Amino acid sequence: MRKNIAAGNWKMNLSYSDAKALATDLSKVDVPAGTDVILGVPHPYLAQINEIVGTANSVSVAAQNCHEKEKGAYTGEVSTGMLDSIGVKTVILGHSERREYQKESDALLSEKVKVALAAGFRVIFCCGETLTTREAAAHFDYVGGQIKNSLFDLKNEDWKNIVIAYEPIWAIGTGVTASPEQAQEMHAHIRKLISDGFGTEIAEATSILYGGSVKPANAKELFAKKDIDGGLVGGASLKAADFEQIIKSFQLARK
Ligand code: 13P
């Protein structure tokens, strides 16, 4: 059975005290059964926020990145081993902002995914096209290529720790959300791709999240779609009341 997931990506926002206050509020939320809440927290705050959310109510933390090597002379980088040692077991990889600003390629992401999986992490793997790519009607191939290039040499058993986040770049931080139909169509495409590569059972068990201007006002409609198993939320995850509403927007129990 796949999970409903409400994931927040705090990106490079919030002071330490604001982050602690937000996590404290979210740790008190009555999370619906069958739903995981994941907070993508900046590295310096991870240990403390992890302690605040504890293990009580299905809220856990994720790192927003990790390095592709286990350790060594890589100034400024953070390894899976370091994250593991403070109790972090989920990492967001391949966000479009890292692909664009840090020039992370499909090949590099393939390495990062493997290192993270080998360390026992759950990986939230992001993919998504630009507006130009969509307007050229190349979005299915483009997103399919990102997934194939970085995830298709995984073993079947690795997929239990993969979550896909489809985040069309034109919808991130713009207030323009993909319509539920546009998102559903891409999610169905991604699930079919996984099914063709790894079988129906794995495809049906993989949570596929939508990201890009998810708000309390549109979450219900998006999450009601058959292949949309939740959201990866930026701006609206920075306010406890907004994110709580999103967490409570699930209508479908996943099978
Ligand atoms: P917004 O929800 O702010 O559009 O950000 C989406 C995102 O990039 C989440 O990773």
Side-chain angles (χ1 to χ4, degrees):
M1 195 205 300
R2 62 184 187 257
K3 287 232 165 194
N4 287 327
I5 298 176
N9 180 4
W10 293 358
K11 306 190 181 183
M12 198 172 73
N13 292 301
L14 302 174
S15 68
Y16 183 41
S17 60
D18 287 346
K20 284 191 287 187
L22 177 58
T24 304
D25 287 346
L26 292 173
S27 67
K28 294 175 192 151
V29 169
D30 187 14
V31 178
T35 302
D36 271 0
V37 176
I38 302 171
L39 311 179
V41 174
H43 284 150
Y45 309 158
L46 270 166
Q48 185 61 31
I49 300 297
N50 196 25
E51 229 161 81
I52 290 173
V53 299
T55 50
N57 70 345
S58 310
V59 183
S60 63
V61 299
Q64 297 175 16
N65 178 40
C66 69
H67 197 260
E68 67 276 15
K69 296 282 193 300
E70 279 172 28
K71 63 175 170 177
Y74 301 101
T75 302
E77 296 293 343
V78 170
S79 71
T80 51
M82 293 171 182
L83 296 168
D84 191 23
S85 71
I86 56 164
V88 176
K89 295 302 289 183
T90 304
V91 62
I92 299 169
L93 291 175
H95 194 283
S96 59
E97 288 149 15
R98 295 201 59 86
R99 290 179 189 261
E100 183 179 353
Y101 306 132
Q102 271 70 42
K103 305 285 172 247
E104 294 195 353
S105 64
D106 290 348
L108 175 71
L109 291 168
S110 165
E111 282 182 58
K112 289 193 178 201
V113 168
K114 286 202 194 70
V115 163
L117 290 174
F121 277 56
R122 171 171 53 172
V123 172
I124 301 177
F125 180 83
C126 305
C127 53
E129 81 286 355
T130 61
L131 188 58
T132 317
T133 304
R134 178 165 280 263
E135 284 173 348
H139 47 298
F140 292 118
D141 284 350
Y142 184 81
V143 169
Q146 289 179 315
I147 291 173
K148 281 186 187 161
N149 292 340
S150 299
L151 302 179
F152 261 44
D153 60 348
L154 296 181
K155 298 189 200 74
N156 281 9
E157 69 254 31
D158 292 329
W159 279 85
K160 65 179 185 301
N161 283 322
I162 298 284
V163 172
I164 305 280
Y166 167 59
E167 300 204 304
I169 294 167
W170 47 273
I172 295 177
T174 58
V176 179
T177 321
S179 70
E181 292 71 31
Q182 284 173 318
Q184 165 59 30
E185 188 183 39
M186 180 60 85
H187 283 224
H189 172 73
I190 293 170
R191 204 176 301 286
K192 165 90 168 49
L193 199 77
I194 300 170
S195 175
D196 291 347
F198 297 91
T200 317
E201 206 175 312
I202 286 176
E204 287 299 319
T206 303
S207 295
I208 307 177
L209 315 183
Y210 167 78
S213 299
V214 176
K215 308 280 177 219
N218 58 29
K220 243 186 204 157
E221 225 191 324
L222 286 160
F223 297 175
K225 292 290 180 191
K226 177 171 158 288
D227 290 296
I228 303 181
D229 306 311
L232 180 54
V233 185
S237 74
L238 300 174
K239 290 204 183 105
D242 285 357
F243 197 48
E244 177 171 1
Q245 271 196 61
I246 292 171
I247 293 167
K248 294 189 167 160
S249 295
F250 291 101
Q251 316 271 312
L252 289 180
R254 304 286 163 187
K255 294 253 163 45

